[in-house]
Amino acid sequence: MSWAQGILLARGLSRGWGGICSTALTGAPFSQGPPQVPRGLHCSTAAHNRDSSLVPRPPEPPRGPVKALAPHVELFRQAPDGVRDKASFVQAVQNFTQYNVHKRGHVDFIYLALRKMREYGVERDLAVYNLLLDIFPKEVFRPRNIFHSIFLHYPRQQECGIAVLEQMENHGVMPNKETEFLLIQIFGRKSHPMLKFVRMKLWFTRFKNIDPFPVPRDLPQDPVDLASLALRHMEPDLSARVTVYQMPLSKDSTDATDPTEPHIIGIQSPDQQAALAHHDPARPIFVEGPFSLWLRDKCVYYHILRADLLPPEEREVEEIPEEWNLYYPMQLDLAYGRSSWDDYEFNIDEVEEGPVFAICMAGAHDQATLAKWIQGLQETNPALDRIPVVFRLSGSSGELLASSSGLEEPPLTPPEGQEEEENNQQRQQQSQS
């Protein structure tokens, strides 16, 4: 309590007690005097009023809904010529640094720029990421003592810097010396963004060339080239041959018979051709699919030509001589002592599948398009003319779309309740007889 409030409080108490004592000495009843309004300890000699209180009133909440501002969005408006490229993105960043000298709201602008990078096609440009880091004020967020280093100093700004580095990591962008210099100048060496940078420099160099089958950074836009690339990555045999059975026909073609002719690309190895030649014609083969395959941010679909697994009694087990087996010896004679706690059983889930004879990618997933693929395979696989082919095509929901009419449908099994009723009736008839 301040000294002014203390003086006013003492003056009000003295006047109040003085009025009560004078009334009691004159002998007049309390009701004959002028009506006195009860006053609290914080009230003055005047009549009690909320506005005259010495305690400040809390601010009233806003009555109308506050509209959320969307700052800096106008900087990323579409260019007059309708092109969103690196030049327009860099111009938007330069406009922010030019008109906002004190860099107020730089964190919100950097988050907005990170979301807009994919639209402008600069999500893999290292110079653009360094340009965004250059927006941060320099020598402001660096820790000044040991307590700043222990605790998260300026947490919102450090989280924003980590978000920039994480987006670089997601797109496979390697930071350079300029990135390190900017992080040291902005946050210092003992900061969380700098720790993220050190980890990226360590693991990026180790995992950069670890993939034995790397996918190119820029995927081809032509569907035929993209399908050939996907089939090459799926087939492990290097001697497999990619065949284009049908080229796509655009809608602008003058041919009116089939204006939307999809592409059909297939791959088959010599071993698959030999396996298909020795296949039993009495057993059908199946065309299944489509199955999805992701190449970076593009999804393609493929179909396979496969057969069911042979029963165990019809399989031919090829014996490998012991001197040719380079993976593990056929017998191990080890005299290790085993106790009663040793477990001799291992739970190994081995899934055996039938052979796959060919793989294809087509622009359409209907039976008519895939039938053209089978006709193209018959030219290089004469045995396919005598083998029945069954189409098992499924949609995105996994439902069966089309099937061959040559196979007989399995008999419908009655429900369990109906089977129990029929069994009970048979038992009653037997007991009566």
Side-chain angles (χ1 to χ4, degrees):
M1 186 187 314
S2 63
W3 61 273
Q5 293 179 353
I7 292 175
L8 292 176
L9 179 61
R11 185 179 298 176
L13 290 175
S14 62
R15 290 182 181 180
W17 281 108
I20 294 175
C21 294
S22 62
T23 305
L25 291 175
T26 55
F30 290 98
S31 60
Q32 293 179 1
Q36 298 289 336
V37 180
R39 297 185 297 271
L41 295 178
H42 295 281
C43 296
S44 63
T45 57
H48 179 72
N49 190 7
R50 292 184 60 186
D51 297 337
S52 63
S53 176
L54 297 178
V55 180
R57 297 172 57 186
E60 296 181 359
R63 297 180 180 180
V66 179
K67 295 183 179 180
L69 299 178
H72 318 307
V73 178
E74 64 277 0
L75 297 176
F76 289 97
R77 287 179 180 177
Q78 193 171 2
D81 53 354
V83 178
R84 293 191 176 187
D85 52 358
K86 180 181 178 179
S88 57
F89 187 89
V90 173
Q91 184 64 34
V93 176
Q94 291 177 355
N95 292 338
F96 174 79
T97 56
Q98 180 180 359
Y99 295 105
N100 195 349
V101 181
H102 300 285
K103 297 183 178 181
R104 295 188 179 94
H106 62 277
V107 174
D108 298 332
F109 177 79
I110 292 175
Y111 278 122
L112 177 62
L114 291 176
R115 295 194 299 268
K116 295 287 185 179
M117 291 183 71
R118 186 179 291 273
E119 300 179 9
Y120 288 82
V122 293
E123 68 275 5
R124 294 175 182 171
D125 197 331
L126 178 59
V128 176
Y129 286 105
N130 292 335
L131 186 64
L132 292 181
L133 289 176
D134 196 23
I135 298 176
F136 284 99
K138 310 301 186 295
E139 304 292 339
V140 177
F141 309 125
R142 298 185 64 176
R144 304 299 178 183
N145 48 49
I146 189 174
F147 298 103
H148 291 172
S149 301
I150 294 175
F151 300 101
L152 192 60
H153 192 51
Y154 286 99
R156 191 161 182 261
Q157 284 74 13
Q158 290 200 36
E159 290 176 357
C160 183
I162 294 174
V164 176
L165 295 176
E166 284 184 350
Q167 184 159 333
M168 294 174 61
E169 181 182 3
N170 295 335
H171 292 286
V173 180
M174 174 75 72
N176 57 359
K177 285 293 183 180
E178 184 181 357
T179 310
E180 181 181 5
F181 176 76
L182 288 172
L183 292 176
I184 294 175
Q185 194 178 11
I186 297 169
F187 302 106
R189 290 189 178 275
K190 297 182 179 180
S191 60
H192 291 272
M194 194 62 193
L195 179 61
K196 177 70 175 178
F197 169 81
V198 173
R199 290 174 177 172
M200 290 176 62
K201 292 289 289 185
L202 173 65
W203 295 111
F204 264 40
T205 54
R206 296 190 178 185
F207 294 136
K208 183 178 181 180
N209 300 319
I210 199 173
D211 189 3
F213 306 101
V215 179
R217 182 66 63 109
D218 298 327
L219 296 176
Q221 301 297 329
D222 188 13
V224 177
D225 298 338
L226 184 63
S228 302
L229 176 65
L231 292 174
R232 280 296 181 188
H233 275 74
M234 294 174 60
E235 179 59 51
D237 194 352
L238 299 178
S239 60
R241 185 178 63 179
V242 177
T243 307
V244 180
Y245 296 99
Q246 182 172 284
M247 291 295 294
L249 189 63
S250 61
K251 297 181 180 180
D252 300 334
S253 178
T254 56
D255 189 4
T257 58
D258 195 3
T260 58
E261 187 175 294
H263 64 276
I264 303 175
I265 316 297
I267 188 171
Q268 192 179 30
S269 64
D271 295 339
Q272 291 175 334
Q273 292 182 358
L276 185 57
H278 292 86
H279 184 72
D280 187 7
R283 295 183 176 275
I285 57 178
F286 307 95
V287 177
E288 297 181 353
F291 305 103
S292 60
L293 174 66
W294 283 94
L295 296 175
R296 294 195 181 276
D297 56 346
K298 291 187 178 180
C299 183
V300 293
Y301 296 90
Y302 66 94
H303 298 79
I304 61 174
L305 180 66
R306 58 172 295 271
D308 288 336
L309 189 66
L310 293 176
E313 60 273 5
E314 298 182 9
R315 299 179 190 175
E316 296 180 359
V317 180
E318 183 180 0
E319 296 183 0
I320 302 177
E322 187 174 354
E323 60 272 9
W324 291 0
N325 195 344
L326 303 177
Y327 298 98
Y328 54 88
M330 302 298 294
Q331 295 180 357
L332 285 177
D333 297 333
L334 302 177
Y336 291 130
R338 294 183 178 273
S339 62
S340 58
W341 297 97
D342 293 336
D343 188 7
Y344 292 90
E345 297 180 359
F346 299 93
N347 296 326
I348 300 177
D349 296 334
E350 295 182 357
V351 180
E352 296 182 352
E353 298 180 352
V356 176
F357 300 120
I359 310 175
C360 89
M361 289 187 178
H365 309 301
D366 54 349
Q367 184 173 347
T369 303
L370 297 176
K372 298 180 181 179
W373 173 48
I374 299 300
Q375 293 176 2
L377 283 175
Q378 290 177 356
E379 298 178 1
T380 56
N381 301 272
L384 194 57
D385 299 338
R386 304 184 302 271
I387 303 175
V389 180
V390 181
F391 291 87
R392 292 179 177 176
L393 306 181
S394 59
S396 59
S397 60
E399 298 179 355
L400 190 65
L401 296 181
S403 61
S404 175
S405 59
L407 294 181
E408 298 180 357
E409 296 183 356
L412 299 176
T413 57
E416 297 180 357
Q418 186 175 356
E419 289 182 353
E420 294 180 357
E421 293 179 359
E422 292 178 357
N423 294 334
N424 294 333
Q425 291 179 0
Q426 292 178 0
R427 292 174 183 174
Q428 291 177 2
Q429 292 177 0
Q430 292 177 1
S431 60
Q432 291 177 1
S433 61

